[in-house]
Amino acid sequence: MAKDVIIACDFADAAETFAFLQRFTGEKPFLKIGMELYYAEGPQIVRELKARGHQIFLDLKLHDIPNTVRKAMRSLSRLDVDIVNLHAAGTQAMMKAALEGLTRVDGSRPLLIAVTQLTSTDQESMQKELLIEKPMDEVVLSYARNAASAGLDGVVCSPLEAGKVHAVCGEHFLTVTPGVRFADGDIGDQKRVTTPARARELGSDYIVVGRPITQADDPVAAWERCRRDFCSGK
Ligand code: C5P
């Protein structure tokens, strides 16, 4: 399984995004476009970044009735992104409908991964507000199993859960993991963080890294450091 670092482009608009990316004059980094940038700029930002040669993870976390998600995924399949996602909480029926919508007439489709429980949801809010009584680990693994049964390619999870997800869903089931920080860096609002090297040891397939790269004095050097530590382990 090829490992890679995905830079979270949490920017307000296209101008900020392009100003950031103009520093990357060599190899093109894999990028994540989230709701902030997509809702500001629409599908054109995806087309432009693809045309510049970037691989794209479109992080829109769909969650609706199966029919609506099927049709939304059909629209997204025209964008030629590499990875898209949804909430596993939408049920297997929704995930299967999403896969149908995403698959193009020639049978090709972007990878589809599921968010299990957001890392901003803790055990207490899950129990008291969502009335889910089981321990977080069990919930995450159960949602991952549902995603695998529905035919999805992987999940977004914490690097700390990556090994268990692989054990339950198979080595080829992708784990895409945010919450990564350099050992000497600022953790910001993330709670359970790991270094790129530790994420590698724990079995993550892709790490999603935002501020440690986007806010660095030298973003290209920070990206290269992430790749060295995570992809090659050297
Ligand atoms: O700046 P930072 O490295 O914390 O960025 C992490 C990125 O991953 C952000 O875009 C954030 O929205 C996303 N993410 C996350 N935790 C999740 C799911 C997505 O941090 N559980």
Side-chain angles (χ1 to χ4, degrees):
M1 182 71 62
K3 289 181 182 285
D4 206 353
V5 173
I6 302 177
I7 303 178
C9 287
D10 293 324
F11 299 114
D13 57 29
E16 255 187 61
T17 308
F18 295 139
F20 169 75
L21 290 174
Q22 73 180 7
R23 298 183 177 93
F24 293 79
T25 51
E27 213 182 326
K28 307 280 182 185
F30 202 133
L31 305 177
K32 178 172 89 71
I33 298 177
M35 294 184 207
E36 181 186 11
L37 185 55
Y38 190 81
Y39 291 155
E41 299 290 349
Q44 192 50 28
I45 186 75
V46 177
R47 293 188 193 103
E48 282 217 42
L49 292 173
K50 281 299 291 186
R52 289 170 179 228
H54 296 276
Q55 287 185 275
I56 304 288
F57 167 21
L58 188 57
D59 178 20
L60 299 181
K61 300 188 181 71
L62 276 68
H63 189 173
D64 208 317
I65 59 172
N67 189 49
T68 301
V69 170
R70 181 188 291 108
K71 290 179 177 170
M73 287 293 184
R74 190 158 295 148
S75 299
L76 295 182
S77 76
R78 293 185 203 113
L79 277 179
D80 190 28
V81 294
D82 299 279
I83 307 179
V84 294
N85 66 354
L86 46 62
H87 274 283
T91 75
Q92 288 197 41
M94 189 199 80
M95 292 191 267
K96 287 179 184 166
L99 268 183
E100 283 168 20
L102 205 54
T103 305
R104 306 181 186 101
V105 282
D106 65 0
S108 67
R109 63 167 174 81
L111 294 172
L112 180 61
I113 62 176
V115 175
T116 53
Q117 279 291 345
L118 292 170
T119 43
S120 51
T121 306
D122 60 13
Q123 185 76 38
E124 193 186 347
S125 49
M126 197 174 72
Q127 282 178 354
K128 291 198 174 145
E129 292 180 41
L130 307 182
L131 305 184
I132 298 172
E133 299 289 341
K134 304 273 189 189
M136 180 65 81
D137 260 23
E138 219 176 294
V139 175
V140 167
L141 287 179
S142 173
Y143 282 24
R145 216 179 280 117
N146 290 344
S149 303
L152 268 68
D153 303 294
V155 287
V156 183
C157 64
S158 156
L160 303 165
E161 293 150 2
K164 285 183 208 156
V165 168
H166 280 137
V168 168
C169 301
E171 276 312 300
H172 296 288
F173 193 68
L174 296 175
T175 53
V176 178
T177 66
V180 173
R181 292 293 180 269
F182 292 121
D184 51 4
D186 185 1
I187 74 167
D189 58 353
Q190 293 282 11
K191 301 225 159 43
R192 296 162 70 219
V193 300
T194 53
T195 61
R198 183 80 186 118
R200 173 190 172 82
E201 288 165 14
L202 290 167
S204 296
D205 297 297
Y206 292 92
I207 51 173
V208 175
V209 186
R211 287 160 290 181
I213 295 175
T214 58
Q215 308 294 310
D217 292 336
D218 185 343
V220 177
W223 173 63
E224 285 169 346
R225 180 180 172 192
C226 273
R227 288 188 109 193
R228 221 169 25 245
D229 293 354
F230 179 68
C231 305
S232 61
K234 286 175 200 153

